[in-house]
Amino acid sequence: MLDRVVSVRPDGKISLPLVGETEAGGLTLVELASRLTTMYRRTMPGVHVTVSVREIRSRTVFFFGGVVR
């Protein structure tokens, strides 16, 4: 069994052993699990991937003043 805890980077990607880097931002848990299952099955036939949210750490950005562009 291969257990990993990874964080989604600000660019929306994650890095995992054996599959490398993949887009995670904007996907549901089911969509991400399906994508990772497909990627891992290239090297490990019959693998099943489960994805869950462990912690939410969003960044709020406030702009004060005027923005020209």
Side-chain angles (χ1 to χ4, degrees):
M1 180 162 48
L2 178 67
D3 287 333
R4 290 284 175 195
V5 175
V6 297
S7 296
V8 179
R9 299 189 312 252
D11 65 358
K13 295 183 179 181
I14 58 173
S15 296
L16 291 165
L18 304 175
V19 296
E21 201 170 87
T22 189
E23 188 69 36
L27 299 177
T28 66
L29 296 178
V30 173
E31 291 169 336
L32 181 57
S34 177
R35 176 178 287 184
L36 293 174
T37 297
T38 300
M39 294 173 78
Y40 272 109
R41 281 191 177 161
R42 293 177 189 151
T43 57
M44 296 186 300
V47 71
H48 177 74
V49 176
T50 303
V51 176
S52 62
V53 176
R54 180 176 180 195
E55 180 180 9
I56 298 173
R57 292 185 289 170
S58 60
R59 296 180 186 179
T60 304
V61 178
F62 296 97
F63 289 97
F64 294 99
V67 177
V68 178
R69 292 184 187 182

